[in-house]
Structures are given as C-alpha cells and as structure tokens.
Amino acid sequence: MASKASKLKPVRTAEEIQSIREACQLAATVLHRLTDAVEVGMTTYDLDQMGRREIAALGGESACFNYASGNLRFPAYTCISINEEVVHGIGRLERVIKQGDAVSIDVVVRYNGYIGDNATTVLMGPAAPELVKLVSATRASLDYAITYACAGNRVGDISNAVERFIKKHGYGIVRDFVGHGIGTSMHEPPQIPNFGRRGQGALLKPGMALAIEPMINLGSPGIRMLDDGWTAVTSDGSYSAHCEHTVLVTEDTPEILTIPQI
Ligand code: CO
C-alpha cells in the first residue's frame, strides 16, 4: 500500500522495464509456489519461512522484511492475512491454517534493485459459498480493472472499474490502503485507490509499472489495526480478500508482469 511519495519518474526506460519484469517473475513464481504448498495443518510461520527460502533460492530478497513504517520494521518475509485480516498479517507459529480459512498471501521481492509485487487469496476448501464468491469477485475486479491500465486513460479509470464491479456485489471496498506505482521502491506514485471517478487522476503513460490491488470485505469497508502495528483487520470481523498484480502500461494492451512463466 502506498504511503510515502517518491521523486522517481514513473515512466521507465527499456532497461528498467526489463528489470521490473524479472523482479515480477520472481515474485509471481514464489507466490505460485506458496499457493501450491499452503495446506491445512501448516502454520503461517511455516508458510512465511517457505517464502523466505523460495525468494532466496531464486536470488531475490524480500522487500517486506525490515520494511519501515514509522518506528516499526516489518518482521516477516511475506504478508499472510487470514479471514478477517485484510493485509500485512505476520506469520506466527501459533496460527495453524484450518479448513475453510481464506489465506491471503502477498509476496513483494527485490531483484537487481527492482521490485515485483503480487498477492492472492487462497481458500482452504471446502469453504463457505459466500467466501468462494467474495474471492472470485475480488479476482474478477482486478482482471477487469487491469483492462483499463492503458496509455491515455487515467488512474481514476482503473479505480472506478474496481468500484463499479464490486458495488454490484455489495461488498465493502477497503479505502485505507491503495495500489501504487512500483520500481526501485515498493511504493511510488501514483496511488491507485480501489474507488474513484472515471477520467480523474494521473494520466497513464507507456512504461508505467502499477501494482493494482483490490482489498474487498464481505461486510463493511472499515478496518482497524492490531496491536502488532501491522495487521489490518476488518472492523466488523467479516472476512476479506486481496488480489494483486503488477502491470505495465504499454502503447497497446496492458502487460501483466506477475503471471508466472512456468
Ligand atoms: Co502492493
């Protein structure tokens, strides 16, 4: 989620784009391995440690570990957020994954100085039908919004696409965290809210790399922070889903950089 502004130019050179592409492939491969491996009975600590090992095995480093927010440093290698946890959950030895859980996994890596960022929610099936719908709608809203990440459009076109899609389902769109530009830092301009007006906001140009990430609650949109200073949970205790891709704006169709080439 974007918090600090950067002075870096959002439009990338061909060399930078290649580096971002490689970082995104690493992030996507690790996320795929984690979604493949997650199972009932595992602790969220085990899953996070697997993330640490897989990132290292591919020659990258976690961009989450030691990430600074105020005086705090993020203590884990990935973000693992279960059920009413929205984002930025910390893997714990005491948290055993159970059947019916909605496990959101967020993998952000640095490779060769560039960042790749992606997330998805996995249901430990069989899960409640309302959860299957929530996760499907969240993923579909991301896919839909990506189609608006075209040169000549504006950030508001992406934001409004998520909002329009989700509103039909009556879910709560989280407003306290947003998507973001990405490059040599995890969070760069522009911020990409999951709500907004068509035609508003920054103009999209070829060479911009954007992390688009709807965070959608089954109930109301409000969140609160746990005492650990990181974990955001829904204020009404309802379950939440999170899907994220890093996307490149091109002269033509948007390129989704975080689909693993496996
Ligand atoms: Co992100």
Side-chain angles (χ1 to χ4, degrees):
M1 277 80 292
S3 53
K4 58 183 173 190
S6 149
K7 293 189 187 74
L8 295 167
K9 284 198 311 173
V11 175
R12 312 289 164 185
T13 65
E15 291 74 26
E16 287 177 307
I17 289 168
Q18 192 46 35
S19 297
I20 294 171
R21 215 178 250 126
E22 287 168 13
C24 285
Q25 277 306 302
L26 203 159
T29 303
V30 172
L31 180 60
H32 176 71
R33 288 181 186 174
L34 296 186
T35 58
D36 224 25
V38 61
E39 60 183 14
V40 169
M42 219 173 166
T43 71
T44 54
Y45 177 84
D46 292 337
L47 190 58
D48 184 60
Q49 286 296 310
M50 182 176 177
R52 179 182 62 75
R53 286 193 304 271
E54 295 292 350
I55 293 168
L58 294 170
E61 55 183 308
S62 165
C64 293
F65 184 69
N66 259 336
Y67 179 85
S69 172
N71 294 329
L72 297 174
R73 298 283 178 279
F74 193 74
Y77 296 86
T78 63
C79 300
I80 301 170
S81 312
I82 299 191
N83 299 346
E84 77 287 354
E85 297 172 352
V86 180
V87 286
H88 304 166
I90 300 164
R92 298 185 287 126
L93 269 173
E94 315 81 66
R95 183 49 166 106
V96 179
I97 292 166
K98 299 192 288 287
Q99 192 230 304
D101 279 347
V103 183
S104 297
I105 307 173
D106 193 339
V107 175
V108 197
V109 304
R110 182 176 290 103
Y111 180 71
N112 213 2
Y114 287 84
I115 311 279
D117 187 358
N118 63 171
T120 196
T121 300
V122 183
L123 291 176
M124 307 311 297
E130 59 179 11
L131 276 185
V132 176
K133 284 186 193 158
L134 173 73
V135 173
S136 303
T138 302
R139 188 164 296 127
S141 75
L142 171 60
D143 292 344
Y144 182 54
I146 288 171
T147 68
Y148 286 85
C150 298
N153 281 353
R154 290 184 180 267
V155 166
D157 295 304
I158 299 173
S159 302
N160 185 262
V162 176
E163 182 175 10
R164 239 175 23 248
F165 193 97
I166 293 297
K167 264 193 171 166
K168 281 186 225 142
H169 296 273
Y171 298 136
I173 299 172
V174 174
R175 301 175 83 92
D176 301 79
F177 299 104
V178 295
H180 48 93
I182 193 166
T184 51
S185 303
M186 192 195 303
H187 297 141
E188 299 190 6
Q191 293 198 355
I192 309 176
N194 293 303
F195 56 91
R197 290 188 177 189
R198 278 175 131 153
Q200 304 270 300
L203 185 64
L204 303 182
K205 297 177 190 159
M208 289 175 123
L210 306 174
I212 305 173
E213 49 180 319
M215 289 150 270
I216 309 298
N217 300 345
L218 201 46
S220 63
I223 63 127
R224 65 182 175 87
M225 300 303 294
L226 293 188
D227 288 342
D228 64 20
W230 289 102
T231 311
V233 298
T234 58
S235 48
D236 64 1
S238 67
Y239 282 27
S240 189
H242 178 207
C243 294
E244 176 176 28
H245 273 307
T246 302
V247 174
L248 179 71
V249 180
T250 74
E251 301 280 357
D252 193 26
T253 313
E255 181 182 338
I256 304 174
L257 300 177
T258 42
I259 294 175
Q261 307 295 310
I262 46 168

